[in-house]
């Protein structure tokens, strides 16, 4: 036994003294230049789709004029500290450039991310996440409106029904995790709409009628019977208001940092940067398309075509300092997908005034051109005269008045001549009434003929 103890102690000392090769796991590194690349790529694609050729001198000038505008905004943007680096980030620049005027709602910072930001006009950020409570207060009545989850794939069979769409969608996702032996404590990011709720791979669809049975509020229909919900409530980001960019950045969950940045954020940043650059004196780029701004769809198209350069939430929120390798961190690259980016900082000359190089014609102090003359303003009579001159032959037309007499037919009857004139007496006695009735009748007939023409 003593020998065994000695051997164990010697072995332990050898293990403690023996060097070990420890492999450190590299932390994800932010690449703010991805934001610059995506802004440049989306901007160039948008200019081309709006009918501007790349060889138009104003095409390159637009990039060159937006770059210093972004740098100017960054100079007054709030700095963000991450680790040992302190500098403005694209998030604080977006806040300073005023994208809150474009995105007026709390937007998910990343695609399918939990945290939402509202970019306020006072330089602060309101932060929110998913609701802690999911509505389960709608009962389901047999034959009536209800929500349905139906998912069948391999050995996975999920059939659920209930009166609340998001609740049954989350329950379906919980069932999916259970049947695939996954961690059931993870909660999905659900996207509800009027007739559909998507939670991960599960979709709940609203049915206008045909509920299979009646279930009270707070329950669902599963396996032929009503029962309570069992899904895990979402771990929500707490609601906070008036955060500084530093505070809002610190609150972002680690799981959200590596998610792709929401295309709506990039689209809003491009629109505001272009709009502000176009308003600067001496701007010689393409005019900002006020009636057709850049959309999130255009941004999503570019990032889908260039996934390696699609920015993440970490790229958007990390500091973007001036370094030896990046002396102009806010400049937009001419070629957004090149391995080495060249900033577009030199605008083309004489692009807004084609006659800038031509000599100016000097007309002298008094060129004797004279004041311009205006034609006489037409009067109402002059405007109506062409209409009044139509069909001149009808001007002197006057209808002739007929002079008729009432017919009095006669007949020989019983060797006597009988004259029928009682109707004439009736007509003469009612002449005014009959005249008025005929005037109304012919007037209405004429009106109907004119209106039907």
């Amino acid at each position: 036994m003593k020998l065994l103890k000695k051997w164990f102690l010697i072995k332990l000392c050898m293990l403690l003294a023996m060097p070990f090769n420890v492999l450190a796991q590299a932390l994800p590194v932010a690449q703010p230049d991805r934001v610059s690349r995506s802004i440049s790529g989306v901007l160039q694609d948008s200019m081309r789709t709006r009918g501007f050729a790349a060889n138009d001198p104003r095409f390159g000038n637009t990039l060159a004029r937006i770059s210093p505008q972004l740098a100017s905004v960054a100079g007054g943007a709030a700095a963000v500290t991450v680790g040992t680096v302190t500098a403005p980030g694209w998030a604080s620049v977006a806040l300073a450039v005023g994208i809150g005027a474009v995105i007026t709602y709390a937007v998910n910072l990343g695609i399918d991310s939990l945290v939402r930001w509202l970019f306020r006009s006072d330089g602060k950020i309101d932060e929110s996440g998913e609701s802690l409570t999911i509505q389960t207060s709608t009962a389901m009545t047999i034959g009536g409106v209800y929500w349905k989850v139906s998912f069948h794939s391999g050995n996975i069979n999920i059939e659920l029904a209930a009166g609340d769409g998001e609740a049954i969608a989350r329950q379906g996702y919980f069932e999916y995790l259970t049947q695939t032996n996954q961690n059931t404590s993870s909660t999905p990011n659900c996207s509800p709409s009027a007739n559909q709720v998507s939670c991960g791979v599960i979709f709940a669809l609203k049915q206008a009628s045909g509920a299979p049975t009646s279930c009270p509020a707070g329950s669902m229909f599963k396996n032929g019977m009503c029962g309570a919900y069992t899904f895990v409530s979402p771990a929500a980001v707490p609601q906070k208001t008036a955060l500084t960019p530093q505070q809002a950045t610190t609150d972002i969950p680690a799981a959200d940092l590596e998610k792709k940045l929401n295309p709506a954020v990039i689209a809003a940043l491009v629109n505001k940067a272009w709009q502000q650059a176009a308003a600067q004196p001496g701007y010689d780029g393409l005019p900002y398309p006020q009636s057709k701004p850049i959309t999130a769809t255009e941004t999503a198209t570019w990032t889908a075509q260039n996934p390696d350069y699609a920015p993440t939430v970490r790229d958007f929120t990390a500091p973007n300092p001036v370094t030896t390798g990046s002396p102009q961190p806010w400049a937009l690259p001419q070629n957004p997908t090149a391995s080495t980016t060249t900033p577009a900082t030199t605008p083309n000359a004489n692009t807004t005034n084609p006659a800038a190089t031509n000599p100016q014609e000097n007309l002298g102090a008094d060129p004797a051109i004279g004041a311009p003359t205006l034609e006489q303003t037409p009067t109402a009579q002059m405007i109506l005269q062409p209409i009044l001159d139509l069909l001149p032959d009808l001007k002197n037309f006057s209808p002739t008045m007929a002079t008729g007499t009432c017919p009095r037919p006669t007949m020989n009857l019983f060797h006597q001549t009988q004259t029928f004139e009682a109707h004439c007496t009736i007509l003469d006695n009612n002449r005014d009434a009959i005249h008025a009735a005929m005037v109304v009748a012919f007037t209405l007939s004429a009106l109907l003929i004119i209106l039907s023409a």
Side-chain angles (χ1 to χ4, degrees):
M1 180 65 68
K2 292 182 179 180
L3 183 61
L4 182 60
K5 288 183 178 179
K6 290 182 179 180
W7 178 86
F8 180 76
L9 291 174
I10 294 172
K11 194 72 174 178
L12 181 60
C13 293
M14 291 177 64
L15 289 173
L16 293 174
M18 186 180 298
F20 288 91
N21 293 326
V22 179
L23 298 178
Q25 184 177 2
L27 294 175
V29 178
Q31 301 182 50
D33 65 292
R34 288 177 178 171
V35 181
S36 306
R37 291 174 182 269
S38 61
I39 291 175
S40 177
V42 171
L43 180 60
Q44 293 187 50
D45 279 1
S46 300
M47 289 189 291
R48 280 189 286 266
T49 57
R50 284 160 177 76
F52 298 103
N55 59 359
D56 189 327
R58 298 173 298 170
F59 193 96
N61 284 8
T62 305
L63 296 173
R65 296 304 185 188
I66 291 178
S67 294
Q69 176 63 24
L70 288 172
S72 175
V73 172
V80 178
T81 300
V82 175
T84 60
V85 181
T86 299
W90 278 107
S92 54
V93 169
L95 188 64
V97 85
I99 70 170
V102 180
I103 305 179
T104 58
Y105 53 92
V107 62
N108 285 78
L109 201 55
I111 299 176
D112 294 330
S113 66
L114 183 63
V115 66
R116 296 185 178 97
W117 278 7
L118 174 65
F119 296 88
R120 296 174 21 164
S121 59
D122 59 355
K124 298 297 179 65
I125 296 171
D126 288 348
E127 177 185 275
S128 61
E130 287 192 83
S131 173
L132 283 171
T133 58
I134 304 301
Q135 179 179 341
T136 58
S137 59
T138 305
M140 183 172 66
T141 304
I142 185 170
V145 179
Y146 74 108
W147 289 81
K148 178 182 180 181
V149 171
S150 180
F151 185 88
H152 302 279
S153 177
N155 296 326
I156 306 173
N157 293 287
I158 303 172
E159 283 285 344
L160 305 172
D164 295 293
E166 186 170 351
I168 199 64
R170 288 184 179 275
Q171 181 66 38
Y173 184 76
F174 178 82
E175 301 285 342
Y176 172 80
L177 295 178
T178 302
Q179 295 186 28
T180 55
N181 298 318
Q182 299 185 55
N183 181 13
T184 55
S185 63
S186 69
T187 57
N189 294 320
C190 297
S191 300
S193 63
N195 298 307
Q196 175 178 303
V197 180
S198 61
C199 292
V201 297
I202 301 299
F203 292 85
L205 301 177
K206 188 175 184 180
Q207 310 295 319
S209 61
T213 188
S214 295
C215 287
S219 63
M220 60 170 178
F221 182 70
K222 174 186 174 183
N223 296 333
M225 59 188 302
C226 298
Y229 291 102
T230 58
F231 66 87
V232 179
S233 297
V237 174
Q239 177 77 33
K240 296 181 181 180
T241 59
L243 298 179
T244 65
Q246 179 68 64
Q247 293 171 326
T249 299
T250 303
D251 277 353
I252 297 176
D256 281 2
L257 290 174
E258 303 311 315
K259 293 181 178 178
K260 297 300 182 183
L261 185 64
N262 192 330
V265 176
I266 291 293
L269 185 53
V270 177
N271 280 310
K272 290 301 296 183
W274 190 357
Q275 188 179 35
Q276 291 188 10
Q280 299 302 312
Y283 176 76
D284 51 7
L286 292 171
Y288 173 69
Q290 191 73 39
S291 60
K292 192 179 180 182
I294 297 172
T295 64
T297 302
E298 293 176 275
T299 303
T301 300
W302 188 90
T303 53
Q305 295 171 348
N306 303 276
D308 293 339
Y309 302 106
T312 63
V313 175
R314 185 187 300 276
D315 300 333
F316 181 69
T317 56
N320 190 23
V322 176
T323 62
T324 304
S326 179
Q328 299 175 348
W330 310 104
L332 302 183
Q334 292 178 347
N335 185 354
T337 59
S339 56
T340 303
T341 58
T342 302
T345 56
T346 306
N348 299 287
N350 302 327
T351 56
T352 58
N353 182 9
T357 57
N358 297 333
Q360 182 178 3
E361 186 71 25
N362 189 352
L363 300 179
D366 184 9
I369 295 177
T373 58
L374 299 176
E375 62 182 10
Q376 181 183 359
T377 303
T379 62
Q381 180 66 30
M382 296 171 63
I383 296 173
L384 295 175
Q385 195 61 45
I387 300 176
L388 299 176
D389 290 341
L390 293 175
L391 303 175
D393 295 338
L394 295 179
K395 286 184 176 182
N396 299 323
F397 174 78
S398 60
T400 58
M401 299 299 293
T403 56
T405 57
C406 180
R408 291 175 170 80
T410 58
M411 176 181 293
N412 291 322
L413 184 64
F414 304 112
H415 306 290
Q416 292 183 359
T417 301
Q418 302 291 333
T419 303
F420 300 95
E421 58 181 358
H423 65 283
C424 294
T425 303
I426 295 173
L427 291 175
D428 287 338
N429 294 338
N430 297 278
R431 175 186 298 272
D432 294 338
I434 295 173
H435 177 268
M438 291 298 103
V439 169
V440 172
F442 280 99
T443 301
L444 291 176
S445 300
L447 182 62
L448 292 174
I449 292 173
I450 293 174
L451 294 178
S452 63

